[in-house]
């Protein structure tokens, strides 16, 4: 890159441009010899949802969603659920969150109260406490209303150990963690519900398209459902398809695991309002961010059992097995069989089709 | 408070107004029954530098310093050192940090590179890795250049256990952690170096007062020095006097421990440039934020030994015993014997005399 290059929205969109920023500019400075003296099993270089050190799962997210209040949620519920989900997809139990506010001078305290109440409610729903915090206020114009950073920690459970023992009955498995690089040919892909709800509800509300009258964001903490799912066993990887949507998640899995992934369009739940909005706006629902969904990779022998466990929860009622993992020699990248009977390559979006959704 | 009340700069200044915001509005929503099922030994309600759950120390800080580059440091070194210090003052070993950027569209990548390099250097100096991260980009005008959140985790060490055993040889001590509420009458107060360097260097550079030619910020990770100090034993509390300065730290200790604190002005190191700037600006050096200093409460029998250990480090070369803890019946709050031979009450500042210093 040249010296006069500038940050663009795509650098923060969760897609390919952001991955390049991280891998070329950040990892070279942050990785170092000091890593060796620590017991780090998942590091920054893995680009997973969380890191793991000394069996502690650790993750962070800054939330800049616009507007602060949207159909189905607000920046408070989003920040709590988002960080809980990043921990929960590692297959562990969230122990607690931090909460750091950056507030604009003049921000109405009544709105802050609503957001704090929403964070408290989400925290109680999930059963995950907010343990520590920070508050900064900057002058008018230095930040747009407010941003929230939530970081979180989680602990390894016996259920995760047992889950991995079960995986090993069926196939070879390296390591002790659910990582993006764990998929093998034959594994089944489960999606826990419809895609695009959060991004489209938010976009539609922000721009006044009107679809939000029949559509709400899916902001929801998934830890209880995912803990129950882990107890079934056979799970090799989990991920929440936020920025860049399902397309981004599956491409990350495909690249990091060195496998192909085949999915079937007719098996992927998409709500009518999301479908209609995407048609009108020329968007692909697979690239739209979600805040209450997970993608689960599972050995084929246990796919139906895991699906049943997920469907036992309200937040997983629409879950489906949407595809499976292929050997790279058989298929490269992510490919979808379309409703029309054709096949199309599902690329990771370079940027984010809907900015400021989280 | 009324419905039309707005956030002011004082709400984020680390002083009394911020404490009220937290205790009245946040704690009521965030504390709940779910806390009981977790092994939380230091919670949000303690308002300490970090929380403790399952023996994991956990802390967060959002950094909005202005300007991004200043004499002696930048937002990168500040965010790494600041979070490491919040963990280190709990008497534990930092295990790692998270790093979440919020970047303004159009921010020069060359400046981001400088900041990332600075974070990497600070991380290596301290021997504490950056484990996980997040990058968000918002439209031009939605944030002033960039903010960084760094959260961190730390683990309890044998040295901390031994330190507390040693304390118990000399006096009664409750719990297993170094907390703001641990001080007893008779404890000595050690300050590890001169006060006001960071806030005055930054303010002077920002406003063009010229004092920064002979003054640099003290941004520095203190974990190695504080670990060595803990190994001496007898320490009951530690804190880094950031926003609100030494005045705020000592008042928090006084309130939470239910004790008086007496300090001696002639024992408190203040650099000539800080003294001159404070005279000119009508500021009190005790209320100015620091980024590379710690205040240590220690049983009197070991105060000289702890002082010697601190002075063995470059960053502690100017350390001094600056006062001692009194029973409340003898003295309320924080009182300083002045250079003129008088006594004055040292109040916690309501807001921050220098905004945007961290």
């Amino acid at each position: 890159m040249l010296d006069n290059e500038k940050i663009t929205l795509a650098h923060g969109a969760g897609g390919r441009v952001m991955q390049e920023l991280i891998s070329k500019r950040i990892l070279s400075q942050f990785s170092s010899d000091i890593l060796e003296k620590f017991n780090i099993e998942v590091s920054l270089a893995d680009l997973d949802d969380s890191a793991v050190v000394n069996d502690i799962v650790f993750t962070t997210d800054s939330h800049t969603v616009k507007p602060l209040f949207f159909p189905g949620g607000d920046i408070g519920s989003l920040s709590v659920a988002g960080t809980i989900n990043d921990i929960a997809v590692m297959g562990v139990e969230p122990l607690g969150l931090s909460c750091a506010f950056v507030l604009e001078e003049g921000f109405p305290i009544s709105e802050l109260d609503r957001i704090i109440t929403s964070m408290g409610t989400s925290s109680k729903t999930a059963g995950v406490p907010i343990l520590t915090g920070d508050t900064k206020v900057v002058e008018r114009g230095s930040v747009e209303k407010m941003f929230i950073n939530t970081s979180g920690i989680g602990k390894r459970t016996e259920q995760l150990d047992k889950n991995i023992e079960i995986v090993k009955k069926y196939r070879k498995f390296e390591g002790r963690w659910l990582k993006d690089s764990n998929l093998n040919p034959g594994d089944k892909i489960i999606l826990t519900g419809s895609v695009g709800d959060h991004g489209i509800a938010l976009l539609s509300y922000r721009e006044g398209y009107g679809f939000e009258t029949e559509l709400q964001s899916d902001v929801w903490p998934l830890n209880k459902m995912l803990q129950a799912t882990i107890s079934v066993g056979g799970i090799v990887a989990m991920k929440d398809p936020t920025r860049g949507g399902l397309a981004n998640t599956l491409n990350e899995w495909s690249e990091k695991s060195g496998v192909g992934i085949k999915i079937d369009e007719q098996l992927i739940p998409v709500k009518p309002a999301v479908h209609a909005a995407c048609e009108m706006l020329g968007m692909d629902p697979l690239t739209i961010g979600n805040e209450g969904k997970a993608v689960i990779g599972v050995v084929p022998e246990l796919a139906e059992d895991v699906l049943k466990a997920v469907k036992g929860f309200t937040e997983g009622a629409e879950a489906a097995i949407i595809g499976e993992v292929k050997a790279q020699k058989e298929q490269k990248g992510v490919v979808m069989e379309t409703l029309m009977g054709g096949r199309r390559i599902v690329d990771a979006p370079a940027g984010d089709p809907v900015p400021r959704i989280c």
Side-chain angles (χ1 to χ4, degrees), chain A residues 188-196 225 239-241 245-246 249-250 253 263-265 267-270 286 290 292-298 306-307 310-311 315-323:
Chain A
K188 297 289 185 188
I189 307 289
I190 293 171
L191 174 65
T192 67
S194 59
V195 292
M225 180 178 81
K239 204 170 181 74
D240 53 335
L246 182 64
T249 293
L250 295 180
W253 278 6
I263 55 175
D264 191 337
E265 188 168 16
L267 301 177
I268 299 172
V270 181
L286 302 194
N290 312 278
K293 302 292 152 51
V295 190
I296 302 171
V298 56
V306 167
L307 179 64
V310 172
K311 286 172 85 83
E315 54 269 37
E318 296 177 281
I321 299 173
I322 61 162

mmCIF file of all heavy atoms in Angstrom, chain A residues 188-196 225 239-241 245-246 249-250 253 263-265 267-270 286 290 292-298 306-307 310-311 315-323:
data_model
loop_
_atom_site.group_PDB
_atom_site.id
_atom_site.type_symbol
_atom_site.label_atom_id
_atom_site.label_comp_id
_atom_site.label_asym_id
_atom_site.label_seq_id
_atom_site.Cartn_x
_atom_site.Cartn_y
_atom_site.Cartn_z
ATOM 1 N N LYS A 188 -21.444 -32.136 8.345
ATOM 2 C CA LYS A 188 -22.681 -31.448 7.955
ATOM 3 C C LYS A 188 -22.683 -30.024 8.510
ATOM 4 O O LYS A 188 -22.094 -29.749 9.562
ATOM 5 C CB LYS A 188 -23.900 -32.190 8.509
ATOM 6 C CG LYS A 188 -24.066 -33.596 7.962
ATOM 7 C CD LYS A 188 -24.505 -33.587 6.503
ATOM 8 C CE LYS A 188 -24.782 -35.010 6.017
ATOM 9 N NZ LYS A 188 -25.024 -35.045 4.560
ATOM 10 N N ILE A 189 -23.379 -29.133 7.781
ATOM 11 C CA ILE A 189 -23.480 -27.723 8.178
ATOM 12 C C ILE A 189 -24.918 -27.444 8.612
ATOM 13 O O ILE A 189 -25.854 -27.585 7.811
ATOM 14 C CB ILE A 189 -23.137 -26.791 6.994
ATOM 15 C CG1 ILE A 189 -21.778 -27.132 6.376
ATOM 16 C CG2 ILE A 189 -23.214 -25.325 7.425
ATOM 17 C CD1 ILE A 189 -20.584 -26.796 7.219
ATOM 18 N N ILE A 190 -25.077 -27.038 9.876
ATOM 19 C CA ILE A 190 -26.398 -26.661 10.391
ATOM 20 C C ILE A 190 -26.455 -25.142 10.534
ATOM 21 O O ILE A 190 -25.512 -24.523 11.025
ATOM 22 C CB ILE A 190 -26.666 -27.325 11.770
ATOM 23 C CG1 ILE A 190 -26.785 -28.846 11.600
ATOM 24 C CG2 ILE A 190 -27.917 -26.745 12.434
ATOM 25 C CD1 ILE A 190 -26.837 -29.608 12.916
ATOM 26 N N LEU A 191 -27.568 -24.563 10.108
ATOM 27 C CA LEU A 191 -27.825 -23.132 10.309
ATOM 28 C C LEU A 191 -29.004 -23.041 11.278
ATOM 29 O O LEU A 191 -30.014 -23.711 11.089
ATOM 30 C CB LEU A 191 -28.158 -22.472 8.967
ATOM 31 C CG LEU A 191 -28.602 -21.006 8.982
ATOM 32 C CD1 LEU A 191 -27.486 -20.093 9.461
ATOM 33 C CD2 LEU A 191 -29.064 -20.574 7.577
ATOM 34 N N THR A 192 -28.871 -22.209 12.346
ATOM 35 C CA THR A 192 -29.880 -22.270 13.411
ATOM 36 C C THR A 192 -31.131 -21.434 13.140
ATOM 37 O O THR A 192 -32.040 -21.444 13.977
ATOM 38 C CB THR A 192 -29.280 -21.853 14.777
ATOM 39 O OG1 THR A 192 -28.943 -20.454 14.699
ATOM 40 C CG2 THR A 192 -28.043 -22.655 15.128
ATOM 41 N N GLY A 193 -31.198 -20.739 12.012
ATOM 42 C CA GLY A 193 -32.419 -19.976 11.699
ATOM 43 C C GLY A 193 -32.244 -19.136 10.452
ATOM 44 O O GLY A 193 -31.223 -19.227 9.764
ATOM 45 N N SER A 194 -33.229 -18.308 10.186
ATOM 46 C CA SER A 194 -33.266 -17.540 8.934
ATOM 47 C C SER A 194 -32.151 -16.494 8.878
ATOM 48 O O SER A 194 -31.773 -15.928 9.897
ATOM 49 C CB SER A 194 -34.621 -16.855 8.793
ATOM 50 O OG SER A 194 -34.839 -15.997 9.899
ATOM 51 N N VAL A 195 -31.661 -16.231 7.678
ATOM 52 C CA VAL A 195 -30.558 -15.275 7.515
ATOM 53 C C VAL A 195 -31.049 -13.897 7.057
ATOM 54 O O VAL A 195 -32.072 -13.781 6.377
ATOM 55 C CB VAL A 195 -29.490 -15.785 6.516
ATOM 56 C CG1 VAL A 195 -28.761 -16.983 7.081
ATOM 57 C CG2 VAL A 195 -30.096 -16.080 5.155
ATOM 58 N N GLY A 196 -30.314 -12.874 7.471
ATOM 59 C CA GLY A 196 -30.541 -11.506 6.976
ATOM 60 C C GLY A 196 -31.465 -10.651 7.817
ATOM 61 O O GLY A 196 -31.593 -9.445 7.563
ATOM 62 N N MET A 225 -28.716 -22.097 24.158
ATOM 63 C CA MET A 225 -28.962 -23.060 23.076
ATOM 64 C C MET A 225 -27.668 -23.776 22.680
ATOM 65 O O MET A 225 -27.656 -25.000 22.513
ATOM 66 C CB MET A 225 -29.555 -22.330 21.871
ATOM 67 C CG MET A 225 -29.836 -23.233 20.694
ATOM 68 S SD MET A 225 -30.606 -22.337 19.315
ATOM 69 C CE MET A 225 -29.171 -21.591 18.541
ATOM 70 N N LYS A 239 -19.895 -20.867 14.584
ATOM 71 C CA LYS A 239 -19.580 -19.472 14.297
ATOM 72 C C LYS A 239 -20.882 -18.700 14.154
ATOM 73 O O LYS A 239 -21.869 -19.234 13.655
ATOM 74 C CB LYS A 239 -18.783 -19.388 12.997
ATOM 75 C CG LYS A 239 -17.922 -18.144 12.869
ATOM 76 C CD LYS A 239 -16.993 -18.275 11.665
ATOM 77 C CE LYS A 239 -16.101 -17.065 11.507
ATOM 78 N NZ LYS A 239 -15.019 -17.017 12.511
ATOM 79 N N ASP A 240 -20.875 -17.433 14.603
ATOM 80 C CA ASP A 240 -22.073 -16.611 14.393
ATOM 81 C C ASP A 240 -21.856 -15.739 13.157
ATOM 82 O O ASP A 240 -20.891 -14.980 13.086
ATOM 83 C CB ASP A 240 -22.444 -15.793 15.634
ATOM 84 C CG ASP A 240 -21.306 -14.949 16.184
ATOM 85 O OD1 ASP A 240 -20.124 -15.298 15.959
ATOM 86 O OD2 ASP A 240 -21.584 -13.933 16.831
ATOM 87 N N PRO A 241 -22.745 -15.858 12.173
ATOM 88 C CA PRO A 241 -22.538 -15.152 10.904
ATOM 89 C C PRO A 241 -22.965 -13.688 11.002
ATOM 90 O O PRO A 241 -24.046 -13.324 10.577
ATOM 91 C CB PRO A 241 -23.415 -15.939 9.923
ATOM 92 C CG PRO A 241 -24.484 -16.552 10.771
ATOM 93 C CD PRO A 241 -23.930 -16.711 12.149
ATOM 94 N N GLY A 245 -22.191 -11.901 6.811
ATOM 95 C CA GLY A 245 -23.224 -12.922 6.769
ATOM 96 C C GLY A 245 -22.725 -14.351 6.613
ATOM 97 O O GLY A 245 -21.544 -14.659 6.826
ATOM 98 N N LEU A 246 -23.662 -15.217 6.241
ATOM 99 C CA LEU A 246 -23.380 -16.639 6.061
ATOM 100 C C LEU A 246 -22.286 -16.847 5.010
ATOM 101 O O LEU A 246 -21.429 -17.731 5.152
ATOM 102 C CB LEU A 246 -24.669 -17.355 5.633
ATOM 103 C CG LEU A 246 -24.592 -18.869 5.430
ATOM 104 C CD1 LEU A 246 -24.270 -19.583 6.739
ATOM 105 C CD2 LEU A 246 -25.913 -19.405 4.866
ATOM 106 N N THR A 249 -18.896 -16.370 6.673
ATOM 107 C CA THR A 249 -18.611 -17.461 7.614
ATOM 108 C C THR A 249 -18.171 -18.720 6.872
ATOM 109 O O THR A 249 -17.149 -19.323 7.195
ATOM 110 C CB THR A 249 -19.873 -17.762 8.455
ATOM 111 O OG1 THR A 249 -20.119 -16.639 9.297
ATOM 112 C CG2 THR A 249 -19.707 -19.010 9.302
ATOM 113 N N LEU A 250 -18.940 -19.102 5.865
ATOM 114 C CA LEU A 250 -18.623 -20.351 5.163
ATOM 115 C C LEU A 250 -17.304 -20.227 4.394
ATOM 116 O O LEU A 250 -16.532 -21.189 4.319
ATOM 117 C CB LEU A 250 -19.767 -20.739 4.226
ATOM 118 C CG LEU A 250 -21.091 -21.083 4.929
ATOM 119 C CD1 LEU A 250 -22.158 -21.455 3.899
ATOM 120 C CD2 LEU A 250 -20.920 -22.227 5.944
ATOM 121 N N TRP A 253 -14.474 -20.669 6.875
ATOM 122 C CA TRP A 253 -14.327 -22.097 7.190
ATOM 123 C C TRP A 253 -13.632 -22.834 6.044
ATOM 124 O O TRP A 253 -12.734 -23.642 6.274
ATOM 125 C CB TRP A 253 -15.713 -22.712 7.471
ATOM 126 C CG TRP A 253 -16.199 -22.467 8.866
ATOM 127 C CD1 TRP A 253 -15.611 -21.688 9.804
ATOM 128 C CD2 TRP A 253 -17.375 -23.024 9.475
ATOM 129 N NE1 TRP A 253 -16.347 -21.711 10.975
ATOM 130 C CE2 TRP A 253 -17.435 -22.526 10.795
ATOM 131 C CE3 TRP A 253 -18.386 -23.880 9.049
ATOM 132 C CZ2 TRP A 253 -18.458 -22.861 11.686
ATOM 133 C CZ3 TRP A 253 -19.416 -24.223 9.941
ATOM 134 C CH2 TRP A 253 -19.451 -23.716 11.241
ATOM 135 N N ILE A 263 -23.706 -25.950 -0.262
ATOM 136 C CA ILE A 263 -24.967 -25.677 0.420
ATOM 137 C C ILE A 263 -26.104 -25.685 -0.598
ATOM 138 O O ILE A 263 -25.870 -25.611 -1.802
ATOM 139 C CB ILE A 263 -24.946 -24.332 1.188
ATOM 140 C CG1 ILE A 263 -24.566 -23.171 0.257
ATOM 141 C CG2 ILE A 263 -23.989 -24.399 2.369
ATOM 142 C CD1 ILE A 263 -24.654 -21.805 0.916
ATOM 143 N N ASP A 264 -27.321 -25.775 -0.078
ATOM 144 C CA ASP A 264 -28.492 -25.938 -0.931
ATOM 145 C C ASP A 264 -29.454 -24.782 -0.649
ATOM 146 O O ASP A 264 -29.958 -24.639 0.462
ATOM 147 C CB ASP A 264 -29.132 -27.291 -0.596
ATOM 148 C CG ASP A 264 -30.191 -27.690 -1.612
ATOM 149 O OD1 ASP A 264 -30.730 -26.784 -2.295
ATOM 150 O OD2 ASP A 264 -30.470 -28.894 -1.713
ATOM 151 N N GLU A 265 -29.688 -23.939 -1.635
ATOM 152 C CA GLU A 265 -30.486 -22.718 -1.447
ATOM 153 C C GLU A 265 -31.859 -23.014 -0.849
ATOM 154 O O GLU A 265 -32.343 -22.283 0.010
ATOM 155 C CB GLU A 265 -30.651 -21.959 -2.771
ATOM 156 C CG GLU A 265 -31.310 -20.594 -2.594
ATOM 157 C CD GLU A 265 -31.220 -19.722 -3.845
ATOM 158 O OE1 GLU A 265 -30.929 -20.259 -4.923
ATOM 159 O OE2 GLU A 265 -31.430 -18.508 -3.716
ATOM 160 N N LEU A 267 -32.760 -25.094 1.219
ATOM 161 C CA LEU A 267 -32.749 -25.483 2.638
ATOM 162 C C LEU A 267 -32.442 -24.304 3.561
ATOM 163 O O LEU A 267 -32.543 -24.418 4.782
ATOM 164 C CB LEU A 267 -31.706 -26.587 2.857
ATOM 165 C CG LEU A 267 -31.916 -27.873 2.041
ATOM 166 C CD1 LEU A 267 -30.761 -28.845 2.294
ATOM 167 C CD2 LEU A 267 -33.257 -28.523 2.400
ATOM 168 N N ILE A 268 -32.054 -23.160 2.987
ATOM 169 C CA ILE A 268 -31.648 -22.007 3.802
ATOM 170 C C ILE A 268 -32.861 -21.135 4.122
ATOM 171 O O ILE A 268 -33.474 -20.576 3.215
ATOM 172 C CB ILE A 268 -30.581 -21.162 3.071
ATOM 173 C CG1 ILE A 268 -29.333 -22.023 2.813
ATOM 174 C CG2 ILE A 268 -30.226 -19.909 3.875
ATOM 175 C CD1 ILE A 268 -28.296 -21.361 1.933
ATOM 176 N N PRO A 269 -33.223 -21.031 5.407
ATOM 177 C CA PRO A 269 -34.408 -20.228 5.749
ATOM 178 C C PRO A 269 -34.155 -18.734 5.493
ATOM 179 O O PRO A 269 -33.175 -18.175 5.979
ATOM 180 C CB PRO A 269 -34.604 -20.481 7.251
ATOM 181 C CG PRO A 269 -33.656 -21.579 7.634
ATOM 182 C CD PRO A 269 -32.582 -21.616 6.597
ATOM 183 N N VAL A 270 -35.046 -18.124 4.692
ATOM 184 C CA VAL A 270 -35.013 -16.675 4.438
ATOM 185 C C VAL A 270 -36.449 -16.162 4.593
ATOM 186 O O VAL A 270 -37.364 -16.672 3.944
ATOM 187 C CB VAL A 270 -34.502 -16.350 3.013
ATOM 188 C CG1 VAL A 270 -34.459 -14.829 2.805
ATOM 189 C CG2 VAL A 270 -33.128 -16.957 2.767
ATOM 190 N N LEU A 286 -27.386 -13.927 1.798
ATOM 191 C CA LEU A 286 -26.274 -14.674 2.407
ATOM 192 C C LEU A 286 -25.150 -13.760 2.879
ATOM 193 O O LEU A 286 -24.306 -14.169 3.667
ATOM 194 C CB LEU A 286 -25.695 -15.695 1.419
ATOM 195 C CG LEU A 286 -26.634 -16.752 0.846
ATOM 196 C CD1 LEU A 286 -25.822 -17.851 0.178
ATOM 197 C CD2 LEU A 286 -27.538 -17.345 1.903
ATOM 198 N N ASN A 290 -26.144 -11.134 10.694
ATOM 199 C CA ASN A 290 -27.130 -11.651 11.641
ATOM 200 C C ASN A 290 -26.606 -11.450 13.059
ATOM 201 O O ASN A 290 -25.395 -11.387 13.253
ATOM 202 C CB ASN A 290 -27.341 -13.148 11.409
ATOM 203 C CG ASN A 290 -27.565 -13.457 9.941
ATOM 204 O OD1 ASN A 290 -28.659 -13.316 9.430
ATOM 205 N ND2 ASN A 290 -26.497 -13.839 9.230
ATOM 206 N N GLY A 292 -28.376 -13.238 15.846
ATOM 207 C CA GLY A 292 -28.924 -14.264 16.735
ATOM 208 C C GLY A 292 -28.947 -15.624 16.062
ATOM 209 O O GLY A 292 -29.827 -16.444 16.313
ATOM 210 N N LYS A 293 -27.959 -15.849 15.214
ATOM 211 C CA LYS A 293 -27.898 -17.121 14.492
ATOM 212 C C LYS A 293 -26.501 -17.710 14.643
ATOM 213 O O LYS A 293 -25.531 -16.978 14.838
ATOM 214 C CB LYS A 293 -28.201 -16.912 12.993
ATOM 215 C CG LYS A 293 -29.558 -16.287 12.715
ATOM 216 C CD LYS A 293 -30.733 -17.201 13.052
ATOM 217 C CE LYS A 293 -32.003 -16.444 13.435
ATOM 218 N NZ LYS A 293 -32.419 -15.415 12.507
ATOM 219 N N ALA A 294 -26.428 -19.040 14.530
ATOM 220 C CA ALA A 294 -25.120 -19.702 14.528
ATOM 221 C C ALA A 294 -25.065 -20.709 13.391
ATOM 222 O O ALA A 294 -26.097 -21.225 12.959
ATOM 223 C CB ALA A 294 -24.878 -20.402 15.861
ATOM 224 N N VAL A 295 -23.859 -20.941 12.903
ATOM 225 C CA VAL A 295 -23.605 -22.010 11.943
ATOM 226 C C VAL A 295 -22.801 -23.068 12.703
ATOM 227 O O VAL A 295 -21.889 -22.727 13.456
ATOM 228 C CB VAL A 295 -22.801 -21.492 10.738
ATOM 229 C CG1 VAL A 295 -22.766 -22.544 9.640
ATOM 230 C CG2 VAL A 295 -23.399 -20.207 10.204
ATOM 231 N N ILE A 296 -23.200 -24.316 12.530
ATOM 232 C CA ILE A 296 -22.591 -25.402 13.305
ATOM 233 C C ILE A 296 -22.066 -26.460 12.349
ATOM 234 O O ILE A 296 -22.792 -26.917 11.462
ATOM 235 C CB ILE A 296 -23.640 -26.034 14.267
ATOM 236 C CG1 ILE A 296 -24.203 -24.962 15.218
ATOM 237 C CG2 ILE A 296 -23.040 -27.197 15.048
ATOM 238 C CD1 ILE A 296 -25.392 -25.435 16.055
ATOM 239 N N GLY A 297 -20.812 -26.836 12.520
ATOM 240 C CA GLY A 297 -20.238 -27.948 11.764
ATOM 241 C C GLY A 297 -20.229 -29.180 12.658
ATOM 242 O O GLY A 297 -19.766 -29.114 13.799
ATOM 243 N N VAL A 298 -20.745 -30.301 12.162
ATOM 244 C CA VAL A 298 -20.931 -31.480 13.015
ATOM 245 C C VAL A 298 -20.637 -32.747 12.203
ATOM 246 O O VAL A 298 -20.857 -32.781 10.979
ATOM 247 C CB VAL A 298 -22.374 -31.487 13.599
ATOM 248 C CG1 VAL A 298 -23.430 -31.429 12.502
ATOM 249 C CG2 VAL A 298 -22.627 -32.671 14.513
ATOM 250 N N VAL A 306 -28.039 -33.245 16.729
ATOM 251 C CA VAL A 306 -27.713 -31.850 17.051
ATOM 252 C C VAL A 306 -28.826 -30.938 16.548
ATOM 253 O O VAL A 306 -29.274 -30.034 17.268
ATOM 254 C CB VAL A 306 -26.342 -31.452 16.440
ATOM 255 C CG1 VAL A 306 -26.132 -29.934 16.489
ATOM 256 C CG2 VAL A 306 -25.206 -32.159 17.184
ATOM 257 N N LEU A 307 -29.321 -31.195 15.346
ATOM 258 C CA LEU A 307 -30.416 -30.394 14.795
ATOM 259 C C LEU A 307 -31.624 -30.430 15.735
ATOM 260 O O LEU A 307 -32.243 -29.396 16.011
ATOM 261 C CB LEU A 307 -30.811 -30.921 13.414
ATOM 262 C CG LEU A 307 -31.965 -30.180 12.733
ATOM 263 C CD1 LEU A 307 -31.582 -28.729 12.423
ATOM 264 C CD2 LEU A 307 -32.400 -30.901 11.439
ATOM 265 N N VAL A 310 -31.084 -28.211 18.747
ATOM 266 C CA VAL A 310 -31.209 -26.788 18.396
ATOM 267 C C VAL A 310 -32.677 -26.411 18.251
ATOM 268 O O VAL A 310 -33.141 -25.391 18.770
ATOM 269 C CB VAL A 310 -30.444 -26.482 17.077
ATOM 270 C CG1 VAL A 310 -30.743 -25.065 16.604
ATOM 271 C CG2 VAL A 310 -28.942 -26.663 17.279
ATOM 272 N N LYS A 311 -33.444 -27.261 17.560
ATOM 273 C CA LYS A 311 -34.853 -26.951 17.297
ATOM 274 C C LYS A 311 -35.699 -26.968 18.571
ATOM 275 O O LYS A 311 -36.819 -26.452 18.585
ATOM 276 C CB LYS A 311 -35.425 -27.935 16.273
ATOM 277 C CG LYS A 311 -34.917 -27.650 14.858
ATOM 278 C CD LYS A 311 -35.325 -28.722 13.858
ATOM 279 C CE LYS A 311 -36.686 -28.506 13.272
ATOM 280 N NZ LYS A 311 -36.678 -27.570 12.140
ATOM 281 N N GLU A 315 -35.202 -19.937 19.756
ATOM 282 C CA GLU A 315 -34.271 -19.238 18.859
ATOM 283 C C GLU A 315 -33.684 -20.171 17.800
ATOM 284 O O GLU A 315 -33.016 -19.700 16.879
ATOM 285 C CB GLU A 315 -33.169 -18.520 19.652
ATOM 286 C CG GLU A 315 -32.380 -19.367 20.635
ATOM 287 C CD GLU A 315 -32.959 -19.398 22.049
ATOM 288 O OE1 GLU A 315 -34.200 -19.408 22.204
ATOM 289 O OE2 GLU A 315 -32.153 -19.423 23.003
ATOM 290 N N GLY A 316 -33.970 -21.476 17.895
ATOM 291 C CA GLY A 316 -33.461 -22.409 16.898
ATOM 292 C C GLY A 316 -34.579 -23.150 16.169
ATOM 293 O O GLY A 316 -34.325 -24.141 15.462
ATOM 294 N N ALA A 317 -35.812 -22.671 16.325
ATOM 295 C CA ALA A 317 -36.985 -23.391 15.797
ATOM 296 C C ALA A 317 -36.913 -23.623 14.288
ATOM 297 O O ALA A 317 -37.417 -24.626 13.782
ATOM 298 C CB ALA A 317 -38.262 -22.628 16.155
ATOM 299 N N GLU A 318 -36.287 -22.680 13.576
ATOM 300 C CA GLU A 318 -36.237 -22.792 12.114
ATOM 301 C C GLU A 318 -34.938 -23.429 11.616
ATOM 302 O O GLU A 318 -34.618 -23.354 10.423
ATOM 303 C CB GLU A 318 -36.355 -21.392 11.485
ATOM 304 C CG GLU A 318 -37.665 -20.690 11.748
ATOM 305 C CD GLU A 318 -37.652 -19.284 11.142
ATOM 306 O OE1 GLU A 318 -37.050 -18.386 11.772
ATOM 307 O OE2 GLU A 318 -38.224 -19.108 10.050
ATOM 308 N N ALA A 319 -34.178 -24.022 12.511
ATOM 309 C CA ALA A 319 -32.869 -24.569 12.136
ATOM 310 C C ALA A 319 -32.990 -25.622 11.042
ATOM 311 O O ALA A 319 -34.022 -26.294 10.911
ATOM 312 C CB ALA A 319 -32.185 -25.169 13.357
ATOM 313 N N ALA A 320 -31.926 -25.759 10.266
ATOM 314 C CA ALA A 320 -31.909 -26.753 9.194
ATOM 315 C C ALA A 320 -30.477 -27.178 8.890
ATOM 316 O O ALA A 320 -29.537 -26.423 9.132
ATOM 317 C CB ALA A 320 -32.543 -26.162 7.939
ATOM 318 N N ILE A 321 -30.331 -28.412 8.380
ATOM 319 C CA ILE A 321 -29.049 -28.833 7.816
ATOM 320 C C ILE A 321 -29.032 -28.266 6.401
ATOM 321 O O ILE A 321 -29.885 -28.601 5.583
ATOM 322 C CB ILE A 321 -28.933 -30.370 7.785
ATOM 323 C CG1 ILE A 321 -29.024 -30.928 9.217
ATOM 324 C CG2 ILE A 321 -27.617 -30.794 7.114
ATOM 325 C CD1 ILE A 321 -29.097 -32.449 9.300
ATOM 326 N N ILE A 322 -28.082 -27.358 6.139
ATOM 327 C CA ILE A 322 -28.123 -26.646 4.853
ATOM 328 C C ILE A 322 -27.060 -27.119 3.859
ATOM 329 O O ILE A 322 -27.032 -26.654 2.727
ATOM 330 C CB ILE A 322 -27.972 -25.123 5.045
ATOM 331 C CG1 ILE A 322 -26.623 -24.792 5.701
ATOM 332 C CG2 ILE A 322 -29.138 -24.550 5.851
ATOM 333 C CD1 ILE A 322 -26.210 -23.332 5.542
ATOM 334 N N GLY A 323 -26.197 -28.016 4.281
ATOM 335 C CA GLY A 323 -25.181 -28.462 3.337
ATOM 336 C C GLY A 323 -24.136 -29.331 3.992
ATOM 337 O O GLY A 323 -24.308 -29.775 5.134
#
